[in-house]
Amino acid sequence: MSPQSDPVEAVSQRLDTFVTGQRSSTARMGDEAALLVDVAASTLRGGKGLRGRFCIAGWRAVEEASVSSSSASEITDAATTAAAALEVFHAAALVHDDLIDNSDTRRGRPSAHRALERAHRDAGWTGDAAAFGRSAAVLLGDLLVAWSDDLFEEALAQLDAARAARARAEYATMRRDVTMGQFLDIAEESAYASEPDDRHADRALRVASFKSARYSVQQPLVIGAAIAGGDDAQRAALAAFGHPLGMAFQLRDDVLGVFGDSAETGKPSGDDLREGKRTVLIAYARAALPPSARRIVDELIGDPGLDDDQIASLQRTIVDSGALDRVEQLIADYARDADRALSGARLGNTAVGELRDLARAATVRTR
Protein backbone atom coordinates (compact mmCIF):
# COMPACT_ATOMS: atom_id res chain seq x y z
CA MET A 1 0.00 0.00 0.00
CA SER A 2 1.46 3.35 -1.02
CA PRO A 3 1.69 6.31 1.40
CA GLN A 4 -0.99 7.99 -0.72
CA SER A 5 -3.46 5.16 0.01
CA ASP A 6 -2.43 4.15 3.54
CA PRO A 7 -4.12 6.64 5.90
CA VAL A 8 -1.79 6.03 8.85
CA GLU A 9 1.35 6.53 6.74
CA ALA A 10 -0.13 9.51 4.90
CA VAL A 11 -1.01 11.30 8.14
CA SER A 12 2.35 10.44 9.71
CA GLN A 13 4.24 11.92 6.77
CA ARG A 14 2.07 15.03 6.80
CA LEU A 15 2.76 15.53 10.51
CA ASP A 16 6.50 15.09 9.99
CA THR A 17 6.48 17.73 7.24
CA PHE A 18 4.49 20.13 9.39
CA VAL A 19 6.73 19.73 12.45
CA THR A 20 9.82 20.25 10.31
CA GLY A 21 8.32 23.51 9.15
CA GLN A 22 7.59 24.57 12.71
CA ARG A 23 11.15 23.81 13.79
CA SER A 24 12.43 26.00 10.97
CA SER A 25 10.07 28.90 11.66
CA THR A 26 10.89 28.99 15.39
CA ALA A 27 14.64 28.38 15.15
CA ARG A 28 15.41 32.06 15.64
CA MET A 29 13.63 32.00 19.03
CA GLY A 30 16.40 30.07 20.75
CA ASP A 31 16.93 26.84 22.67
CA GLU A 32 13.98 27.27 25.01
CA ALA A 33 11.58 27.53 22.09
CA ALA A 34 13.22 24.47 20.54
CA LEU A 35 12.50 22.59 23.78
CA LEU A 36 8.79 23.34 23.52
CA VAL A 37 8.71 22.27 19.86
CA ASP A 38 10.57 19.07 20.74
CA VAL A 39 8.05 18.15 23.43
CA ALA A 40 5.20 19.08 21.08
CA ALA A 41 6.64 16.76 18.44
CA SER A 42 6.92 13.94 20.99
CA THR A 43 3.20 14.21 21.78
CA LEU A 44 2.46 13.38 18.14
CA ARG A 45 4.31 10.05 18.27
CA GLY A 46 2.55 6.80 19.04
CA GLY A 47 -1.12 6.31 19.70
CA LYS A 48 -3.74 4.66 17.55
CA GLY A 49 -4.35 7.58 15.19
CA LEU A 50 -8.06 6.75 15.17
CA ARG A 51 -9.34 10.29 14.68
CA GLY A 52 -7.25 10.81 11.59
CA ARG A 53 -8.22 7.37 10.30
CA PHE A 54 -11.92 8.06 10.85
CA CYS A 55 -11.60 11.41 9.09
CA ILE A 56 -10.08 9.76 6.02
CA ALA A 57 -12.60 6.93 6.23
CA GLY A 58 -15.45 9.47 6.15
CA TRP A 59 -13.85 11.21 3.18
CA ARG A 60 -13.35 7.90 1.37
CA ALA A 61 -16.90 6.69 2.04
CA VAL A 62 -18.32 9.72 0.22
CA GLU A 63 -15.63 9.87 -2.44
CA GLU A 64 -16.11 6.23 -3.41
CA ALA A 65 -19.83 6.77 -3.81
CA SER A 66 -19.24 9.42 -6.46
CA VAL A 67 -16.16 8.17 -8.34
CA SER A 68 -14.50 4.87 -9.16
CA SER A 69 -12.87 2.96 -6.31
CA SER A 70 -9.46 3.28 -7.95
CA SER A 71 -9.70 7.05 -7.97
CA ALA A 72 -10.79 7.16 -4.33
CA SER A 73 -7.85 4.99 -3.21
CA GLU A 74 -5.48 7.95 -3.50
CA ILE A 75 -6.06 10.21 -0.50
CA THR A 76 -6.19 13.89 -1.42
CA ASP A 77 -3.89 16.32 0.36
CA ALA A 78 -6.92 18.15 1.78
CA ALA A 79 -8.17 14.97 3.47
CA THR A 80 -4.71 14.04 4.75
CA THR A 81 -4.04 17.52 6.09
CA ALA A 82 -7.41 17.68 7.85
CA ALA A 83 -6.78 14.26 9.38
CA ALA A 84 -3.37 15.43 10.59
CA ALA A 85 -5.01 18.51 12.13
CA LEU A 86 -7.32 16.24 14.14
CA GLU A 87 -4.33 14.29 15.44
CA VAL A 88 -2.62 17.52 16.53
CA PHE A 89 -5.79 18.68 18.27
CA HIS A 90 -5.97 15.31 20.03
CA ALA A 91 -2.38 15.73 21.22
CA ALA A 92 -3.39 19.08 22.71
CA ALA A 93 -6.33 17.48 24.48
CA LEU A 94 -4.08 14.77 25.92
CA VAL A 95 -1.56 17.31 27.22
CA HIS A 96 -4.30 19.18 29.06
CA ASP A 97 -6.02 15.96 30.16
CA ASP A 98 -2.81 14.64 31.73
CA LEU A 99 -2.32 17.96 33.46
CA ILE A 100 -5.87 17.93 34.85
CA ASP A 101 -5.49 14.31 36.00
CA ASN A 102 -1.93 14.81 37.26
CA SER A 103 -0.90 11.78 35.19
CA ASP A 104 2.76 10.84 35.14
CA THR A 105 2.75 8.81 31.93
CA ARG A 106 1.22 8.79 28.48
CA ARG A 107 1.75 6.05 25.89
CA GLY A 108 4.46 4.52 28.06
CA ARG A 109 6.46 7.76 28.22
CA PRO A 110 6.48 10.67 30.68
CA SER A 111 3.46 12.91 30.19
CA ALA A 112 4.21 16.34 28.72
CA HIS A 113 4.21 18.26 32.00
CA ARG A 114 6.54 15.68 33.52
CA ALA A 115 8.87 15.85 30.51
CA LEU A 116 8.99 19.63 30.79
CA GLU A 117 9.55 19.39 34.54
CA ARG A 118 12.50 17.09 33.93
CA ALA A 119 13.92 19.42 31.27
CA HIS A 120 13.86 22.26 33.82
CA ARG A 121 15.62 20.11 36.40
CA ASP A 122 18.21 18.72 33.97
CA ALA A 123 19.08 22.25 32.76
CA GLY A 124 19.74 23.38 36.33
CA TRP A 125 17.25 26.22 36.07
CA THR A 126 16.10 28.06 39.15
CA GLY A 127 12.66 27.79 40.75
CA ASP A 128 10.10 25.01 41.15
CA ALA A 129 10.56 22.44 38.37
CA ALA A 130 7.09 20.94 38.86
CA ALA A 131 5.42 24.36 38.66
CA PHE A 132 7.39 25.11 35.50
CA GLY A 133 6.28 21.80 33.98
CA ARG A 134 2.63 22.53 34.69
CA SER A 135 2.75 26.09 33.38
CA ALA A 136 4.68 25.08 30.28
CA ALA A 137 2.22 22.25 29.57
CA VAL A 138 -0.70 24.70 29.56
CA LEU A 139 1.12 26.71 26.91
CA LEU A 140 2.13 23.55 25.05
CA GLY A 141 -1.51 22.51 24.79
CA ASP A 142 -2.39 25.98 23.52
CA LEU A 143 0.41 25.79 20.95
CA LEU A 144 -0.87 22.43 19.70
CA VAL A 145 -4.39 23.85 19.35
CA ALA A 146 -2.94 26.69 17.27
CA TRP A 147 -1.03 24.18 15.16
CA SER A 148 -4.20 22.18 14.57
CA ASP A 149 -6.00 25.33 13.42
CA ASP A 150 -3.14 26.16 11.06
CA LEU A 151 -3.20 22.69 9.53
CA PHE A 152 -6.96 22.62 9.21
CA GLU A 153 -7.01 25.96 7.43
CA GLU A 154 -4.36 24.61 5.03
CA ALA A 155 -6.76 21.78 4.23
CA LEU A 156 -9.73 24.09 3.74
CA ALA A 157 -7.76 26.36 1.41
CA GLN A 158 -7.83 23.51 -1.12
CA LEU A 159 -11.65 23.26 -1.13
CA ASP A 160 -14.44 25.29 -2.69
CA ALA A 161 -16.25 27.72 -0.41
CA ALA A 162 -19.24 25.47 0.32
CA ARG A 163 -17.18 22.45 1.35
CA ALA A 164 -14.82 24.59 3.40
CA ALA A 165 -17.70 26.24 5.27
CA ARG A 166 -19.31 22.90 6.10
CA ALA A 167 -16.04 21.31 7.24
CA ARG A 168 -15.15 24.36 9.33
CA ALA A 169 -18.56 24.27 11.04
CA GLU A 170 -18.19 20.56 11.87
CA TYR A 171 -14.68 21.17 13.20
CA ALA A 172 -15.98 23.97 15.42
CA THR A 173 -18.70 21.67 16.75
CA MET A 174 -16.08 19.04 17.60
CA ARG A 175 -13.90 21.50 19.50
CA ARG A 176 -16.86 22.88 21.47
CA ASP A 177 -18.24 19.45 22.37
CA VAL A 178 -14.97 17.97 23.59
CA THR A 179 -14.13 21.04 25.68
CA MET A 180 -17.53 20.99 27.34
CA GLY A 181 -17.28 17.22 27.70
CA GLN A 182 -13.94 17.55 29.46
CA PHE A 183 -15.46 20.05 31.88
CA LEU A 184 -18.46 17.79 32.50
CA ASP A 185 -16.00 14.97 33.26
CA ILE A 186 -14.09 16.87 35.93
CA ALA A 187 -17.32 18.37 37.30
CA GLU A 188 -18.81 14.89 37.72
CA GLU A 189 -15.96 13.87 40.01
CA SER A 190 -17.29 16.47 42.46
CA ALA A 191 -20.97 16.73 41.55
CA TYR A 192 -21.83 13.01 41.80
CA ALA A 193 -22.27 13.25 45.57
CA SER A 194 -25.13 15.75 45.19
CA GLU A 195 -26.95 13.67 42.56
CA PRO A 196 -29.32 10.76 43.21
CA ASP A 197 -27.67 7.39 42.67
CA ASP A 198 -30.14 6.46 39.95
CA ARG A 199 -28.90 9.36 37.78
CA HIS A 200 -25.19 8.50 37.90
CA ALA A 201 -25.18 6.15 34.90
CA ASP A 202 -27.04 8.61 32.66
CA ARG A 203 -24.73 11.43 33.69
CA ALA A 204 -21.69 9.26 32.96
CA LEU A 205 -23.10 8.45 29.53
CA ARG A 206 -23.55 12.18 28.90
CA VAL A 207 -19.86 12.71 29.62
CA ALA A 208 -18.93 9.80 27.34
CA SER A 209 -21.03 11.28 24.53
CA PHE A 210 -19.58 14.78 24.57
CA LYS A 211 -16.03 14.09 25.71
CA SER A 212 -15.38 11.07 23.54
CA ALA A 213 -18.06 9.69 21.20
CA ARG A 214 -18.67 12.84 19.19
CA TYR A 215 -15.05 13.93 19.32
CA SER A 216 -13.27 10.65 18.68
CA VAL A 217 -15.46 9.10 16.00
CA GLN A 218 -18.61 10.96 14.95
CA GLN A 219 -17.14 14.37 14.10
CA PRO A 220 -13.96 13.08 12.41
CA LEU A 221 -16.17 10.98 10.11
CA VAL A 222 -18.47 13.90 9.34
CA ILE A 223 -15.54 16.27 8.81
CA GLY A 224 -14.07 13.86 6.29
CA ALA A 225 -17.43 13.55 4.57
CA ALA A 226 -17.78 17.34 4.40
CA ILE A 227 -14.34 17.66 2.78
CA ALA A 228 -15.45 15.14 0.14
CA GLY A 229 -18.64 17.14 -0.51
CA GLY A 230 -21.01 14.69 1.19
CA ASP A 231 -24.69 15.57 1.20
CA ASP A 232 -26.97 15.72 4.25
CA ALA A 233 -27.98 12.06 3.99
CA GLN A 234 -24.40 10.82 3.74
CA ARG A 235 -23.24 12.91 6.68
CA ALA A 236 -26.25 11.79 8.70
CA ALA A 237 -25.51 8.11 8.01
CA LEU A 238 -21.91 8.53 9.11
CA ALA A 239 -22.99 10.41 12.25
CA ALA A 240 -25.51 7.67 13.05
CA PHE A 241 -22.69 5.14 12.74
CA GLY A 242 -20.11 7.26 14.52
CA HIS A 243 -21.95 8.19 17.70
CA PRO A 244 -22.79 4.68 18.98
CA LEU A 245 -19.37 3.46 17.89
CA GLY A 246 -17.81 6.35 19.80
CA MET A 247 -19.82 5.39 22.86
CA ALA A 248 -18.56 1.81 22.58
CA PHE A 249 -15.02 3.13 22.13
CA GLN A 250 -15.24 5.20 25.33
CA LEU A 251 -16.79 2.39 27.34
CA ARG A 252 -13.91 0.15 26.25
CA ASP A 253 -11.55 2.89 27.45
CA ASP A 254 -13.38 2.90 30.79
CA VAL A 255 -12.89 -0.85 31.15
CA LEU A 256 -9.20 -0.57 30.27
CA GLY A 257 -8.81 2.32 32.71
CA VAL A 258 -9.74 -0.07 35.52
CA PHE A 259 -8.62 -3.49 34.27
CA GLY A 260 -6.07 -2.76 31.52
CA ASP A 261 -2.56 -4.16 31.47
CA SER A 262 -0.09 -1.31 32.00
CA ALA A 263 2.27 -2.93 29.47
CA GLU A 264 -0.46 -2.51 26.85
CA THR A 265 -2.09 0.78 27.88
CA GLY A 266 1.07 2.67 28.84
CA LYS A 267 -0.60 3.77 32.09
CA PRO A 268 -0.66 2.12 35.54
CA SER A 269 -3.36 -0.52 36.03
CA GLY A 270 -6.39 0.93 37.79
CA ASP A 271 -5.38 4.51 37.05
CA ASP A 272 -9.00 5.62 36.56
CA LEU A 273 -9.72 4.46 40.12
CA ARG A 274 -6.92 6.60 41.51
CA GLU A 275 -8.08 9.56 39.43
CA GLY A 276 -11.67 9.21 40.64
CA LYS A 277 -13.28 8.80 37.22
CA ARG A 278 -17.06 8.49 37.65
CA THR A 279 -17.68 6.26 34.67
CA VAL A 280 -20.67 4.08 33.76
CA LEU A 281 -18.68 1.12 35.09
CA ILE A 282 -18.51 2.75 38.52
CA ALA A 283 -22.14 3.88 38.38
CA TYR A 284 -23.31 0.32 37.65
CA ALA A 285 -21.12 -1.10 40.42
CA ARG A 286 -22.39 1.41 43.00
CA ALA A 287 -26.00 0.77 42.03
CA ALA A 288 -25.58 -2.96 42.74
CA LEU A 289 -23.91 -2.52 46.14
CA PRO A 290 -25.53 -2.18 49.58
CA PRO A 291 -25.06 1.27 51.19
CA SER A 292 -22.20 0.16 53.45
CA ALA A 293 -20.15 -1.26 50.56
CA ARG A 294 -21.01 1.76 48.43
CA ARG A 295 -19.57 4.07 51.08
CA ILE A 296 -16.30 2.11 51.10
CA VAL A 297 -16.06 2.35 47.31
CA ASP A 298 -16.68 6.11 47.47
CA GLU A 299 -13.96 6.51 50.09
CA LEU A 300 -11.41 4.66 47.96
CA ILE A 301 -12.12 5.98 44.47
CA GLY A 302 -10.17 9.14 43.81
CA ASP A 303 -7.39 8.40 46.29
CA PRO A 304 -4.11 8.83 44.34
CA GLY A 305 -2.33 6.72 46.95
CA LEU A 306 -4.27 3.51 46.32
CA ASP A 307 -1.90 0.55 46.50
CA ASP A 308 -2.02 -2.59 44.37
CA ASP A 309 -4.05 -4.54 46.94
CA GLN A 310 -6.67 -1.80 47.17
CA ILE A 311 -6.88 -1.62 43.38
CA ALA A 312 -7.31 -5.40 43.20
CA SER A 313 -10.05 -5.25 45.84
CA LEU A 314 -11.96 -2.57 43.91
CA GLN A 315 -11.56 -4.57 40.71
CA ARG A 316 -13.06 -7.66 42.40
CA THR A 317 -15.94 -5.58 43.76
CA ILE A 318 -16.72 -4.22 40.29
CA VAL A 319 -16.65 -7.70 38.73
CA ASP A 320 -18.70 -9.30 41.51
CA SER A 321 -21.31 -6.53 41.27
CA GLY A 322 -22.02 -7.49 37.66
CA ALA A 323 -21.01 -4.01 36.45
CA LEU A 324 -18.32 -5.28 34.10
CA ASP A 325 -20.75 -7.67 32.41
CA ARG A 326 -23.31 -4.87 32.03
CA VAL A 327 -20.75 -2.58 30.40
CA GLU A 328 -19.56 -5.33 28.06
CA GLN A 329 -23.16 -5.85 26.98
CA LEU A 330 -23.61 -2.12 26.46
CA ILE A 331 -20.47 -2.05 24.29
CA ALA A 332 -21.88 -4.88 22.18
CA ASP A 333 -25.25 -3.10 21.87
CA TYR A 334 -23.65 0.16 20.75
CA ALA A 335 -21.43 -1.65 18.24
CA ARG A 336 -24.48 -3.39 16.79
CA ASP A 337 -26.36 -0.07 16.50
CA ALA A 338 -23.38 1.42 14.68
CA ASP A 339 -23.23 -1.45 12.21
CA ARG A 340 -26.94 -1.16 11.44
CA ALA A 341 -26.56 2.54 10.63
CA LEU A 342 -24.42 1.64 7.61
CA SER A 343 -27.05 -0.61 6.04
CA GLY A 344 -28.49 1.01 2.92
CA ALA A 345 -26.38 4.16 3.25
CA ARG A 346 -25.20 5.70 -0.02
CA LEU A 347 -21.53 5.20 0.77
CA GLY A 348 -18.70 3.38 -1.01
CA ASN A 349 -18.76 -0.38 -0.43
CA THR A 350 -15.03 -0.71 0.14
CA ALA A 351 -15.06 2.20 2.55
CA VAL A 352 -17.98 0.69 4.48
CA GLY A 353 -15.89 -2.45 4.91
CA GLU A 354 -13.04 -0.31 6.24
CA LEU A 355 -15.44 1.40 8.64
CA ARG A 356 -16.49 -1.97 10.01
CA ASP A 357 -12.82 -2.91 10.43
CA LEU A 358 -12.21 0.33 12.31
CA ALA A 359 -15.23 -0.40 14.49
CA ARG A 360 -13.72 -3.71 15.54
CA ALA A 361 -10.34 -2.07 16.17
CA ALA A 362 -11.97 0.60 18.34
CA THR A 363 -14.07 -1.71 20.50
CA VAL A 364 -12.12 -4.99 20.69
CA ARG A 365 -8.74 -3.82 21.92
CA THR A 366 -6.34 -4.04 24.83
CA ARG A 367 -4.93 -0.51 24.76
Side-chain angles (χ1 to χ4, degrees), residues 310-358:
Q310 289 171 312
I311 291 292
S313 176
L314 282 169
Q315 289 171 333
R316 285 194 300 274
T317 297
I318 291 168
V319 172
D320 292 344
S321 73
L324 179 59
D325 287 341
R326 287 187 69 184
V327 170
E328 290 290 353
Q329 184 58 56
L330 195 54
I331 291 172
D333 291 343
Y334 277 129
R336 185 168 53 251
D337 289 345
D339 190 70
R340 287 173 178 166
L342 294 175
S343 298
R346 190 166 52 81
L347 302 169
N349 290 333
T350 302
V352 166
E354 292 175 356
L355 287 172
R356 289 189 165 118
D357 289 342
L358 279 173

Side-chain angles (χ1 to χ4, degrees), residues 84-161:
L86 294 183
E87 289 301 313
V88 177
F89 185 89
H90 183 53
L94 294 182
V95 168
H96 284 159
D97 197 45
D98 286 342
L99 190 59
I100 290 167
D101 294 337
N102 200 31
S103 297
D104 293 328
T105 59
R106 169 65 64 178
R107 296 170 177 168
R109 301 189 300 270
S111 52
H113 63 282
R114 295 301 185 201
L116 289 159
E117 174 185 338
R118 181 173 179 176
H120 177 288
R121 191 174 289 114
D122 289 349
W125 292 347
T126 189
D128 186 334
F132 171 84
R134 291 191 298 270
S135 298
V138 171
L139 298 173
L140 172 61
D142 291 347
L143 176 66
L144 287 164
V145 170
W147 280 8
S148 71
D149 285 349
D150 292 344
L151 265 173
F152 200 69
E153 287 302 321
E154 285 185 30
L156 299 188
Q158 302 177 54
L159 306 177
D160 62 48

Side-chain angles (χ1 to χ4, degrees), residues 24 54 60-61 71 90 119 145 159 199 225 268 296 305 315 323 353:
S24 177
F54 277 119
R60 186 169 271 156
S71 298
H90 183 53
V145 170
L159 306 177
R199 292 191 60 196
I296 293 173
Q315 289 171 333

Side-chain angles (χ1 to χ4, degrees), residues 71-327:
S71 298
S73 66
E74 298 299 314
I75 306 167
T76 65
D77 186 64
T80 301
T81 301
L86 294 183
E87 289 301 313
V88 177
F89 185 89
H90 183 53
L94 294 182
V95 168
H96 284 159
D97 197 45
D98 286 342
L99 190 59
I100 290 167
D101 294 337
N102 200 31
S103 297
D104 293 328
T105 59
R106 169 65 64 178
R107 296 170 177 168
R109 301 189 300 270
S111 52
H113 63 282
R114 295 301 185 201
L116 289 159
E117 174 185 338
R118 181 173 179 176
H120 177 288
R121 191 174 289 114
D122 289 349
W125 292 347
T126 189
D128 186 334
F132 171 84
R134 291 191 298 270
S135 298
V138 171
L139 298 173
L140 172 61
D142 291 347
L143 176 66
L144 287 164
V145 170
W147 280 8
S148 71
D149 285 349
D150 292 344
L151 265 173
F152 200 69
E153 287 302 321
E154 285 185 30
L156 299 188
Q158 302 177 54
L159 306 177
D160 62 48
R163 292 189 188 190
R166 171 54 63 185
R168 187 179 287 110
E170 298 293 357
Y171 190 66
T173 297
M174 180 202 74
R175 295 191 305 178
R176 179 201 64 202
D177 285 356
V178 71
T179 303
M180 293 301 293
Q182 179 67 67
F183 175 74
L184 293 174
D185 187 29
I186 63 172
E188 193 63 21
E189 293 172 24
S190 301
Y192 82 93
S194 63
E195 290 291 328
D197 290 336
D198 60 3
R199 292 191 60 196
H200 286 195
D202 286 343
R203 288 171 65 87
L205 288 171
R206 179 185 66 166
V207 171
S209 174
F210 285 99
K211 182 184 176 185
S212 185
R214 299 163 191 262
Y215 160 64
S216 299
V217 184
Q218 177 182 324
Q219 288 307 112
L221 283 168
V222 175
I223 289 167
I227 289 170
D231 59 29
D232 290 346
Q234 289 171 315
R235 295 196 307 273
L238 288 167
F241 165 78
H243 188 263
L245 177 58
M247 294 296 288
F249 173 83
Q250 180 56 48
L251 293 179
R252 177 59 62 206
D253 246 19
D254 293 345
V255 170
L256 293 175
V258 172
F259 297 100
D261 182 346
S262 59
E264 293 280 346
T265 64
K267 304 196 81 171
S269 180
D271 219 30
D272 277 6
L273 299 174
R274 295 186 180 93
E275 292 174 3
K277 296 294 185 184
R278 292 286 164 172
T279 63
V280 177
L281 186 64
I282 299 304
Y284 283 166
R286 291 181 76 260
L289 295 173
S292 58
R294 192 180 303 159
R295 282 194 295 273
I296 293 173
V297 167
D298 286 341
E299 289 170 3
L300 290 174
I301 291 177
D303 179 356
L306 289 178
D307 60 31
D308 291 344
D309 289 341
Q310 289 171 312
I311 291 292
S313 176
L314 282 169
Q315 289 171 333
R316 285 194 300 274
T317 297
I318 291 168
V319 172
D320 292 344
S321 73
L324 179 59
D325 287 341
R326 287 187 69 184
V327 170

